[in-house]
Amino acid sequence: IEWFLKANPGEKCPSAGHAAYGASVKLENIGGSNSVKSSNMMAFHSILKTSKDYYMALARARELTDNVMEFVNNGTDPEEHVNIFPYSVFYVFYEQYLTMWRDTLQSLSISLVAIFLVTFVLMGFDLVSSCINLLIIVLIVLNLGGLMYWWHITLNAVSLVNFSDGCGYQRRVLQPHDQSFLCQHREGQN
């Protein structure tokens, strides 16, 4: 394999590997014999135009490398398993789209639970006011999601931050109204 990686292609040997694989395969000398330490493989995507094309290409590339890794590691000892992963320059930007819905639901759930608990404590353990606040915030988030759909705004990291920040801002706007209503309601009972 060492000779193959150093041989230049020519008329006598057009399939020599120096041009195509010389920098791709790293050899390691163990006990006088060479073994492959690392290598890479090249594949191509079709033409990618939209965000969906890019993150679907990333998902398919992961499926391909998982299948190749399973085939390569089949029947080998666990300590000798190899790790294969896809890489492309644009994968960094579209990685977020593969888990965006789960991340969004998790982030909004944490925000809503935190808002409910803080409201419950700050409003004097008033369950009804806290539930009304939570309902209003959920309805505003649903309206914001509907507006994003209507205007064709994709769900990404920036819109997720805006959703989470929006929950906090909504709580901040609702707080004085709740406090005023609660104080007037308690004064009316006395």
Side-chain angles (χ1 to χ4, degrees):
I1 196 166
E2 190 174 350
W3 174 85
F4 173 75
L5 293 174
K6 290 181 180 178
N8 289 321
E11 291 180 21
K12 292 183 180 180
C13 184
S15 62
H18 185 246
Y21 306 108
S24 300
V25 179
K26 304 294 181 212
L27 297 176
E28 184 176 44
N29 192 341
I30 300 175
S33 67
N34 286 329
S35 65
V36 176
K37 181 179 179 183
S38 66
S39 177
N40 65 31
M41 160 182 104
M42 190 180 304
F44 296 94
H45 295 292
S46 59
I47 296 173
L48 307 173
K49 295 179 182 178
T50 66
S51 291
K52 185 175 183 180
D53 293 341
Y54 279 96
Y55 69 78
M56 291 306 290
L58 171 59
R60 298 294 87 79
R62 283 187 174 180
E63 285 179 20
L64 174 65
T65 55
D66 287 346
N67 290 339
V68 170
M69 188 167 53
E70 184 180 330
F71 178 77
V72 169
N73 290 332
N74 190 15
T76 61
D77 294 330
E79 58 270 358
E80 294 181 13
H81 280 187
V82 296
N83 186 21
I84 302 173
F85 59 91
Y87 173 78
S88 179
V89 174
F90 68 84
Y91 288 168
V92 175
F93 303 107
Y94 292 96
E95 185 84 25
Q96 63 181 325
Y97 288 96
L98 298 179
T99 60
M100 187 50 59
W101 279 103
R102 185 185 53 148
D103 294 343
T104 301
L105 293 175
Q106 180 182 2
S107 178
L108 288 177
S109 298
I110 291 170
S111 296
L112 292 174
V113 167
I115 287 170
F116 176 78
L117 292 175
V118 168
T119 304
F120 184 65
V121 170
L122 292 180
M123 297 300 282
F125 300 102
D126 186 7
L127 184 63
V128 175
S129 292
S130 300
C131 288
I132 290 172
N133 268 330
L134 186 65
L135 177 65
I136 290 170
I137 291 173
V138 167
L139 291 175
I140 291 171
V141 167
L142 286 175
N143 283 328
L144 182 60
L147 191 63
M148 285 176 59
Y149 177 78
W150 193 32
W151 285 351
H152 305 289
I153 298 172
T154 59
L155 183 62
N156 56 28
V158 175
S159 57
L160 174 58
V161 169
N162 289 334
F163 266 127
S164 297
D165 285 349
C167 288
Y169 294 138
Q170 293 160 24
R171 174 67 209 119
R172 185 171 174 234
V173 168
L174 290 173
Q175 175 65 32
H177 299 291
D178 295 338
Q179 195 67 35
S180 173
F181 174 76
L182 193 60
C183 290
Q184 289 177 1
H185 182 67
R186 287 184 181 160
E187 287 174 7
Q189 287 181 345
N190 293 336

